[in-house]
Amino acid sequence: MKEKMHLLRQKLIEADDLEKAAAVLSWDQSTYMPPGGAAARARQTATLAQLAQEKFTDPAIGKLLDELTPYAESLPYDSDDAALIRVTRRQYERMTRIPAEFVGKMSEHTSQAYAIWAEARPANDFARVQPYLEKTLDLSRQLAEFFPGYEHIIDPLVGFSDYGMKASSIRRLFAELRKELVPIVQAITAQPPADDSCLRKRYPQDQQLALGKEVASQIGYDFQRGRLDLTHHPFETNFAVGDVRITTRVKENLFGECLFGVIHESGHAMYEQGVRPELDGTPLGGGTSSGVHESQSRLWENLVGRSRNFCEFFYPRFQAMFPEQLGDVPLEAYYRAINKVERSLIRTDADEVTYNLHVMLRFDFEMDLLEGKLAVKHLPEAWNERFLADIGIQPQDDKDGCMQDVHWYGGLIGGAFQGYTLGNILSGLFYEAALKDHPDIPAQIRQGQFDTLRNWMTEHIYQHGSKFTADELVMRITGGPIRIEPYIQYLRTKYGELYDL
Ligand code: ZN
């Protein structure tokens, strides 16, 4: 069995090597590649994706999994070997249903669609992306159809990123959350808006980047095993536990875009830097689901980075770095500015309270598009109508409407957005659990100390990589299923005090 485990690991690592090589190419595409490289790069990533797929779906791996299953069943559920066999089998069964040729086609199409979107969005040209988006929808449907027997056509696609979740369970959680959020948003937006003019001065790019790096280091992102670069649409990517990179964008007329973006991506990255090295290069070597991933980015960005305690420690440092911009702005004014709640157009700029409403409408559009209830060509008008109904304002153009997010243009339609709101819900759940074990965490944050919190997350979440599903992690940590209450409680307390609700 030892020999067979060794062989399995070796084969999995080879497949992972190809996948990570493809990831390096797409990191480069999003950071340093000149526009002229787009066509060749689309082909190169497609080739690597197809090779990785072929390696991973090698029947020899299936045979090894069959032979090793009785061994896995004799082991404790949480042992590395049992988890590796269990998780690999799940992915193997999923991947063997998707023909390698389809994966290549999909990858090539999405690279092209991304390149077109990157040009068409600033030009506000939906007509240009429409045929690409139609093809993406078609391919997304085809992909779902490789997994017949679903309740809803979005379920297989949701399962890729948030295993265990389905349209029915997500709709239920979202409906509960919506019922709580809408009155909070109404109560806050009925008041005069917070003054965030202190954030809208000129903040030079180099200084913002330096500050981002400083804060990321302080909270525990390891630059010996990572780096920060500029991109259009910030992301985190993992080539190995020793090389987990983050990207950001800077707006010189807006303080916060860079800083909170960097904290967000550092949250993703600390998760993957915290995985036990023994799991690296295998299907256990990364974050377990997009919801759990997002719980970490949102926890560090919002529950930590936008907290009063965090400001107490860092704000004097920000003032020292930007004396002209912030020197005479009191901490309280800064705290209110970074927690301003408003009806806004762009999801990534949205505050904590309205953010989930942005996600919910996207999830509903994904379901409508996949069901065939909504045609791609009608998306812009449908978007504007729904946006007005849910958020209370209307986009002036598609650039800031249905073309604002990269997800549908650089990936699938379906499964791309629910993780953000699941992540918010989970961030509240995990933070509450960490505070129960260490009630002094907020006081430590006030002192600029983040080790207790990060170590708690490492012990309970990071180190395990993908050994446990999101549901299993929640069960191990809280003893029950996912609940919205701690997150709602967090919002009520923080915004209740800020807006005197
Ligand atoms: Zn994120």
Side-chain angles (χ1 to χ4, degrees):
M1 284 305 151
K2 262 218 161 73
E3 216 169 286
K4 289 201 163 92
M5 270 317 290
H6 180 72
L7 199 56
L8 177 68
R9 249 195 204 99
Q10 216 172 9
K11 285 185 173 296
L12 292 173
I13 286 173
E14 280 175 16
D16 190 73
D17 285 345
L18 289 165
E19 237 173 72
K20 296 294 163 61
V24 177
L25 290 188
S26 24
W27 169 82
D28 174 69
Q29 179 175 16
S30 311
T31 49
Y32 296 106
M33 190 189 79
R41 185 55 51 87
R43 192 193 62 239
Q44 291 153 353
T45 32
T47 302
L48 281 174
Q50 191 164 338
L51 285 173
Q53 159 90 353
E54 280 166 17
K55 276 252 178 236
F56 189 80
T57 54
D58 179 353
I61 289 186
K63 191 160 169 281
L64 280 168
L65 287 170
D66 285 341
E67 291 165 355
L68 284 162
T69 295
Y71 164 68
E73 283 163 358
S74 73
L75 296 170
Y77 188 83
D78 60 358
S79 75
D80 285 356
D81 281 359
L84 183 64
I85 293 164
R86 180 172 68 239
V87 172
T88 304
R89 176 172 283 286
R90 188 195 303 148
Q91 285 185 12
Y92 181 81
E93 282 169 6
R94 179 193 299 159
M95 299 299 269
T96 46
R97 291 200 191 192
I98 310 171
E101 188 219 335
F102 180 87
V103 176
K105 201 163 70 179
M106 183 93 214
S107 163
E108 190 168 356
H109 168 68
T110 52
S111 297
Q112 278 170 358
Y114 173 85
I116 297 293
W117 169 80
E119 287 173 14
R121 190 193 166 206
N124 193 35
D125 190 355
F126 183 78
R128 185 140 181 248
V129 293
Q130 187 189 318
Y132 290 88
L133 198 56
E134 280 164 353
K135 187 163 178 204
T136 301
L137 178 60
D138 192 42
L139 289 168
S140 303
R141 280 209 194 99
Q142 285 180 39
L143 185 56
E145 293 306 341
F146 293 130
F147 303 85
Y150 50 72
E151 268 174 41
H152 189 284
I153 187 168
I154 205 171
D155 290 352
L157 308 177
V158 165
F160 294 156
S161 45
D162 286 292
Y163 179 78
M165 284 287 170
K166 290 198 287 195
S168 55
S169 49
I170 294 168
R171 271 175 168 154
R172 200 165 46 238
L173 275 174
F174 283 12
E176 276 179 50
L177 189 60
R178 190 187 186 83
K179 217 171 70 196
E180 301 286 338
L181 284 175
V182 169
I184 304 178
V185 173
Q186 277 166 350
I188 294 176
T189 51
Q191 298 183 26
D195 175 11
D196 63 352
S197 56
C198 65
L199 308 177
R200 298 175 184 279
K201 298 174 180 175
R202 196 176 166 276
Y203 292 91
Q205 169 162 310
D206 290 353
Q207 279 175 282
Q208 288 204 52
L209 282 172
L211 187 66
K213 281 186 183 162
E214 185 182 323
V215 172
S217 289
Q218 178 99 14
I219 63 175
Y221 174 65
D222 181 358
F223 276 94
Q224 292 301 312
R225 299 187 293 136
R227 54 177 291 132
L228 173 66
D229 295 275
L230 286 169
T231 189
H232 283 294
H233 195 96
F235 61 94
E236 170 261 2
T237 183
N238 167 6
F239 309 143
V241 73
D243 189 355
V244 182
R245 302 189 188 185
I246 56 176
T247 58
T248 190
R249 65 180 159 204
V250 179
K251 284 187 188 148
E252 291 205 315
N253 57 1
L254 184 64
F255 181 85
E257 172 98 6
C258 172
L259 174 67
F260 291 106
V262 167
I263 301 176
H264 180 100
E265 301 307 334
S266 298
H268 283 301
M270 289 190 289
Y271 185 4
E272 304 213 295
Q273 288 184 333
V275 174
R276 277 184 21 250
E278 297 89 318
L279 309 180
D280 201 27
T282 76
L284 304 181
T288 190
S289 72
S290 75
V292 176
H293 240 300
E294 206 62 24
S295 79
Q296 293 312 304
S297 53
R298 310 284 299 172
L299 181 142
W300 288 99
E301 178 191 350
N302 291 328
L303 284 75
V304 175
R306 292 181 205 270
S307 71
R308 201 183 281 276
N309 288 313
F310 187 91
C311 297
E312 299 266 359
F313 178 77
F314 274 112
Y315 187 61
R317 174 75 195 112
F318 299 170
Q319 286 180 304
M321 194 146 189
F322 299 107
E324 274 169 44
Q325 298 90 330
L326 296 173
D328 53 9
V329 177
L331 185 146
E332 187 62 26
Y334 168 79
Y335 177 64
R336 284 179 177 274
I338 61 166
N339 288 298
K340 178 180 184 179
V341 175
E342 63 185 334
R343 305 180 191 275
S344 65
L345 293 175
I346 307 292
R347 174 187 61 87
T348 52
D349 299 342
D351 56 83
E352 287 180 274
V353 186
T354 56
Y355 186 90
N356 298 294
L357 300 175
H358 289 259
V359 172
M360 288 175 196
L361 68 88
R362 286 160 174 77
F363 185 69
D364 288 344
F365 279 133
E366 289 188 330
M367 287 194 292
D368 288 351
L369 287 163
L370 288 164
E371 282 174 35
K373 266 197 214 159
L374 175 65
V376 167
K377 65 170 184 236
H378 294 134
L379 180 64
E381 61 199 75
W383 180 283
N384 294 352
E385 234 171 76
R386 171 76 190 263
F387 211 84
L388 184 62
D390 276 28
I391 315 279
I393 50 173
Q394 198 152 31
Q396 295 303 305
D397 49 34
D398 298 332
K399 168 163 73 70
D400 291 336
C402 65
M403 288 174 79
Q404 65 177 268
D405 294 299
V406 64
H407 305 59
W408 295 337
Y409 304 95
L412 298 173
I413 294 178
F417 288 103
Q418 79 285 333
Y420 295 116
T421 286
L422 293 173
N424 281 328
I425 297 171
L426 291 171
S427 70
L429 203 65
F430 294 148
Y431 196 59
E432 184 190 60
L435 290 188
K436 217 184 229 172
D437 287 352
H438 302 284
D440 54 335
I441 283 174
Q444 290 185 10
I445 292 174
R446 204 187 180 102
Q447 303 295 321
Q449 291 163 14
F450 301 92
D451 290 358
T452 306
L453 178 60
R454 202 185 57 257
N455 291 339
W456 188 94
M457 293 296 159
T458 303
E459 184 192 337
H460 294 275
I461 299 169
Y462 303 171
Q463 63 152 327
H464 300 306
S466 296
K467 271 177 78 168
F468 303 110
T469 66
D471 286 342
E472 286 168 352
L473 281 176
V474 170
M475 186 58 80
R476 286 166 63 95
I477 291 169
T478 70
I482 180 170
R483 296 177 301 126
I484 65 161
E485 286 76 12
Y487 178 60
I488 285 295
Q489 196 48 49
Y490 154 74
L491 288 179
R492 274 189 196 293
T493 307
K494 176 173 175 180
Y495 291 93
E497 186 250 335
L498 262 168
Y499 286 90
D500 204 15
L501 301 178

